[in-house]
Amino acid sequence: MSEKKLRMQLQCPMPKLDFDVITLGHGSGGVLTNKLLDSGVFDLLSNPILNEKHDGAIFKLDGEMAFSTDSFLVSPIFFPGGNIGELAVNGTINDLSMCGALPKYISLSFIIEEGLKMSEFWDILLSIKLACEEAGVQVVTGDTKVVEKGKGDKIFINTSGVGKLHPKAKIGAKNIQEGDSIIVSGNIASHGMAIMSVREGLEFDSEILSDTTNLNHTVSSLLDEFEHKIHLLTDPTRGGVATVLKEIAQNIGLGIEISQNKLPVNSQVAGACELLGLDPLYVANEGLFIAFVDATIEEDFLKKLQKDSNGINAKVIGKVVKDHPNQVVMESAIGGKRVISMLPGEQLPRIC
Amino acid sequence: MSEKKLRMQLQCPMPKLDFDVITLGHGSGGVLTNKLLDSGVFDLLSNPILNEKHDGAIFKLDGEMAFSTDSFLVSPIFFPGGNIGELAVNGTINDLSMCGALPKYISLSFIIEEGLKMSEFWDILLSIKLACEEAGVQVVTGDTKVVEKGKGDKIFINTSGVGKLHPKAKIGAKNIQEGDSIIVSGNIASHGMAIMSVREGLEFDSEILSDTTNLNHTVSSLLDEFEHKIHLLTDPTRGGVATVLKEIAQNIGLGIEISQNKLPVNSQVAGACELLGLDPLYVANEGLFIAFVDATIEEDFLKKLQKDSNGINAKVIGKVVKDHPNQVVMESAIGGKRVISMLPGEQLPRIC
């Protein structure tokens, strides 16, 4: 990623402008807004649909489709392993992927606090472009607004997206059955701890990096092979793995059993969690998903996933059971069992 | 509208909750987020697609479609004639309508500053519900985030939307021809002056009201009758009528001529503009559109539009000419001519 980013920075130098910070006028809809957008933004993200510059984008997308939205307000906006730009692109791509859809077009809406440096905005735009290229999606429509200093926080980004359903996908909580295997695609808690380690000024031997990435290619190839035997896909972002599993248990009226021993956590991340008194089960992830699959495909699914660069650390973490309906029960590392609830408070605000 | 709103408030009283203000925890993705959404929000906006509560919405929408996004950060969030909720719904509906599309599904993403009163949030939600009902669209997916006090401003709302293209629509700047009539659908500058009159504490005999409303039914019925003879539709929001006309002139490489005498402005709004030294041509509108139509249908189009409740004050304001390409020239009320440019600075920030 970083090599590609460097290449992109060389290929797309920041345009020469008569301003270095973004001001209220850049959100006026008038001359300055046009200057901001024309001087690079449109060129950078150029594609035939966006270039029409109408009030919306027009395209064809037959059949069943998915539509998703997310606003991103992570603080700090640049963090180890990424920035708010690629986070916003990947986040919506992954929400669509979790529906079993193949993401195609996204919208991009900026709420900028006046005073944001143009150089920072440009870095964010470059990451957006790169993230779109890697995922194979296009930005086709957008919006730029500016708020007064002290009424925002540097930049918030909303992305919405649309995609076509994978023809073989049949994803939905209602498909989950007793006995289903629960598989997590990689190490948990990386994104949240990358953000927290910056905020708390923690230093480690090697930096903890956010796991932000697109999951659409990974999911698409799993759906190609395992089709309707994949019962549910979900990404445990805010609230972490615990919150998502509890929501699903309540939704399906069955029980969920997981083993603490099987949860993949990077040792550095585990150490940081311990230092801050956080349970990795509740820490946010970005480039991670949980799959509920038919038990008969467990082994093949895991093998295929582990060959994908996004699934090297994938593990089976538990299964769906008839006992204790609506409850998630975890066998702890030292043998006892405990009931897992949703994230109760506000553990880590502004994490995505 | 206000009678309907009153009825809705009676039908949908605020749920009894153990909190009256929104806190950071309501954006955590955990217990409190679920409480906020379950206690009313999902019930209030209920529809089969939204009720799936997955990471995205799934539906079918064959053929050519339009997709649009807009973030709303108007201040104050409640203003004469509306609030940020209905503004956000109508804004995206109108952007889709300007593409010649029939809006169908929207997404709703909240960025809330901690401390927002639940009663205010509920009022906004009721307006969203009502605006959706009036336009015939459904909220199918959403997102709720909370930022610390002083890092936002009460509430920002992003809406994105999708709709099917009207089968007879052929909208695009490239269809505009020399001789086309330029028609504005009603009085200009109402939304901007409604906001400004509150901010500046101006008092008039009768209140200046925002013109926020949906335009989809109006546009759809015009497209039914006039089809491809409607060459372009656009809503002059930020930057006002002047900015939009100048953008179009530059885009088509032809000239635009308008007459100040023909511009419909409510006398109270005109007075407020004079008092504040603002030119109504640059003030934002919300429920207004400008149509570029074939000169042969000018009269019929105007007649039909004037029979619509959104077009009572519609007027032909000018035409497309070969002279002065890329320029908008206005014949002033006292006879001279002046060249109209885009909004140069930041006239009215936080207007939508």
Side-chain angles (χ1 to χ4, degrees):
Chain A
M1 182 83 175
S2 61
E3 196 192 317
K4 276 191 205 163
K5 213 174 214 165
L6 192 67
R7 200 169 62 232
M8 187 159 286
Q9 272 162 348
L10 293 171
Q11 282 168 356
C12 310
M14 195 169 87
K16 286 201 171 60
L17 295 166
D18 54 4
F19 59 92
D20 353 287
V21 295
I22 293 177
T23 61
L24 280 177
H26 290 107
S28 69
V31 173
L32 291 174
T33 307
N34 275 272
K35 203 178 248 184
L36 177 66
L37 297 179
D38 285 339
S39 61
V41 180
F42 276 120
D43 283 347
L44 194 67
L45 303 175
S46 169
N47 63 65
I49 302 174
L50 181 68
N51 297 349
E52 289 290 323
K53 296 189 189 175
H54 199 31
D55 291 325
I58 293 173
F59 48 79
K60 217 167 164 169
L61 204 74
D62 282 332
E64 276 206 299
M65 58 176 278
F67 173 36
S68 187
T69 192
D70 229 328
S71 289
F72 295 82
L73 28 90
V74 64
S75 172
I77 55 175
F78 294 91
F79 48 81
N83 68 48
I84 192 170
E86 62 205 273
L87 194 71
V89 172
N90 291 335
T92 284
I93 283 171
N94 293 348
D95 279 345
L96 292 170
S97 304
M98 296 303 108
C99 297
L102 312 172
K104 201 148 168 59
Y105 300 120
I106 66 168
S107 65
L108 192 57
S109 178
F110 298 113
I111 299 176
I112 301 172
E113 184 192 20
E114 65 171 330
L116 180 71
K117 282 186 200 144
M118 187 61 202
S119 59
E120 290 190 312
F121 187 52
W122 193 252
D123 273 353
I124 292 167
L125 284 172
L126 288 177
S127 295
I128 287 171
K129 180 183 166 75
L130 191 59
C132 285
E133 282 181 6
E134 292 192 340
V137 302
Q138 294 180 329
V139 173
V140 292
T141 189
D143 181 43
T144 304
K145 298 270 161 69
V146 182
V147 291
E148 306 91 327
K149 201 142 187 82
K151 300 292 182 184
D153 194 10
K154 292 195 169 176
I155 187 168
F156 302 148
I157 304 181
N158 176 282
T159 51
S160 300
V162 295
K164 269 183 81 121
L165 268 210
H166 187 290
K168 303 284 185 173
K170 214 179 149 188
I171 306 278
K174 59 180 172 296
N175 304 325
I176 295 176
Q177 288 161 6
E178 187 195 337
D180 275 5
S181 291
I182 304 172
I183 295 168
V184 65
S185 67
N187 287 336
I188 70 170
S190 306
H191 176 72
M193 293 322 295
I195 304 289
M196 283 308 284
S197 62
V198 187
R199 284 202 214 152
E200 303 287 329
L202 301 183
E203 287 190 22
F204 301 96
D205 292 345
S206 62
E207 218 173 14
I208 297 177
L209 300 180
S210 165
D211 62 347
T212 180
T213 189
N214 65 65
L215 295 169
N216 56 322
H217 304 305
T218 305
V219 166
S220 167
S221 105
L222 290 166
L223 284 167
D224 286 345
E225 185 165 342
F226 301 107
E227 308 184 351
H228 63 278
K229 301 235 162 170
I230 301 174
H231 296 160
L232 189 76
L233 296 169
T234 183
D235 56 344
T237 53
R238 282 182 297 169
V241 172
T243 301
V244 156
L245 290 181
K246 175 67 178 170
E247 278 174 357
I248 293 170
Q250 286 182 339
N251 191 345
I252 60 179
L254 291 166
I256 286 177
E257 257 177 32
I258 58 171
S259 303
Q260 193 172 20
N261 271 335
K262 295 182 183 162
L263 283 172
V265 195
N266 165 292
S267 61
Q268 200 123 255
V269 169
C273 282
E274 218 174 293
L275 208 66
L276 297 173
L278 297 171
D279 183 340
L281 265 186
Y282 291 95
V283 176
N285 309 279
E286 280 296 326
L288 193 80
F289 66 95
I290 298 175
F292 285 67
V293 306
D294 196 292
T296 59
I297 61 160
E298 179 187 287
E299 213 172 311
D300 293 342
F301 185 96
L302 190 66
K303 243 187 238 163
K304 188 177 172 86
L305 181 52
Q306 285 171 339
K307 281 189 201 140
D308 188 295
S309 62
N310 288 330
I312 296 165
N313 298 306
K315 287 256 158 52
V316 177
I317 59 166
K319 61 178 184 224
V320 177
V321 296
K322 220 165 72 181
D323 293 344
H324 51 79
N326 307 313
Q327 301 288 357
V328 180
V329 173
M330 180 167 81
E331 193 178 354
S332 82
I334 49 164
K337 287 189 173 185
R338 69 174 171 110
V339 171
I340 301 291
S341 56
M342 285 186 200
L343 175 65
E346 64 190 69
Q347 203 182 49
L348 306 171
R350 309 282 303 277
I351 210 75
C352 62
Chain B
M1 182 84 173
S2 61
E3 196 191 317
K4 276 191 206 164
K5 212 175 216 166
L6 192 66
R7 200 169 61 233
M8 186 159 288
Q9 272 162 349
L10 293 171
Q11 282 168 356
C12 310
M14 195 168 87
K16 285 199 173 62
L17 296 166
D18 53 6
F19 58 93
D20 356 283
V21 296
I22 293 176
T23 62
L24 281 177
H26 289 107
S28 69
V31 173
L32 290 174
T33 307
N34 275 273
K35 203 178 247 184
L36 177 66
L37 297 179
D38 285 340
S39 61
V41 180
F42 276 121
D43 284 347
L44 194 67
L45 303 176
S46 169
N47 62 67
I49 302 174
L50 180 67
N51 298 349
E52 289 290 323
K53 295 188 188 175
H54 200 30
D55 291 326
I58 294 173
F59 48 79
K60 217 168 163 168
L61 204 74
D62 282 332
E64 277 207 299
M65 57 176 280
F67 174 35
S68 186
T69 193
D70 229 328
S71 288
F72 295 82
L73 30 89
V74 64
S75 172
I77 55 175
F78 294 90
F79 48 80
N83 68 49
I84 191 170
E86 62 204 273
L87 194 71
V89 172
N90 292 335
T92 284
I93 284 171
N94 294 348
D95 278 347
L96 292 170
S97 303
M98 296 304 106
C99 299
L102 312 171
K104 200 147 170 63
Y105 301 119
I106 65 169
S107 66
L108 192 57
S109 179
F110 298 113
I111 299 176
I112 301 172
E113 183 191 21
E114 66 172 330
L116 180 72
K117 283 187 199 144
M118 185 61 203
S119 59
E120 290 189 312
F121 187 52
W122 193 251
D123 273 353
I124 291 167
L125 285 172
L126 289 177
S127 294
I128 287 171
K129 181 183 165 72
L130 191 59
C132 286
E133 283 182 6
E134 292 191 341
V137 302
Q138 293 181 329
V139 173
V140 292
T141 191
D143 180 44
T144 304
K145 298 269 161 68
V146 182
V147 290
E148 305 93 326
K149 200 139 188 86
K151 300 290 181 183
D153 195 10
K154 292 195 169 175
I155 188 169
F156 302 148
I157 304 180
N158 176 281
T159 51
S160 300
V162 295
K164 270 181 82 119
L165 269 210
H166 187 289
K168 303 285 185 170
K170 216 181 149 187
I171 306 278
K174 60 181 172 294
N175 303 325
I176 295 177
Q177 290 161 3
E178 188 196 337
D180 274 6
S181 291
I182 304 172
I183 296 167
V184 65
S185 68
N187 288 335
I188 71 170
S190 304
H191 176 71
M193 294 321 295
I195 304 288
M196 284 308 284
S197 63
V198 185
R199 285 203 213 149
E200 302 287 329
L202 300 183
E203 286 190 23
F204 300 97
D205 292 345
S206 63
E207 219 173 12
I208 297 178
L209 300 180
S210 164
D211 62 347
T212 179
T213 189
N214 65 66
L215 294 168
N216 56 322
H217 304 304
T218 305
V219 165
S220 167
S221 106
L222 290 167
L223 285 167
D224 286 344
E225 186 164 341
F226 301 107
E227 308 183 352
H228 63 277
K229 302 235 162 171
I230 301 174
H231 295 160
L232 188 76
L233 297 170
T234 184
D235 56 343
T237 53
R238 283 182 296 169
V241 171
T243 300
V244 157
L245 290 181
K246 174 67 178 170
E247 278 173 357
I248 293 170
Q250 286 182 339
N251 190 345
I252 60 179
L254 291 167
I256 287 177
E257 258 179 31
I258 59 171
S259 302
Q260 192 171 23
N261 271 335
K262 293 182 184 162
L263 283 172
V265 196
N266 165 293
S267 61
Q268 202 123 252
V269 169
C273 282
E274 219 176 293
L275 208 64
L276 297 173
L278 297 171
D279 183 341
L281 264 185
Y282 290 94
V283 176
N285 309 279
E286 281 295 328
L288 192 80
F289 66 95
I290 298 176
F292 284 67
V293 305
D294 196 292
T296 59
I297 62 161
E298 177 187 289
E299 211 172 313
D300 293 342
F301 185 95
L302 190 66
K303 242 187 237 165
K304 188 177 171 84
L305 181 52
Q306 286 172 338
K307 281 189 200 142
D308 188 295
S309 62
N310 288 330
I312 296 165
N313 298 307
K315 287 259 158 53
V316 176
I317 60 165
K319 63 179 184 224
V320 177
V321 296
K322 221 165 69 181
D323 294 343
H324 51 80
N326 307 312
Q327 301 289 357
V328 180
V329 172
M330 180 167 80
E331 192 178 354
S332 81
I334 50 165
K337 286 189 175 186
R338 69 175 171 112
V339 171
I340 301 292
S341 56
M342 284 188 201
L343 176 64
E346 63 189 69
Q347 202 182 50
L348 305 171
R350 308 283 301 279
I351 210 75
C352 62

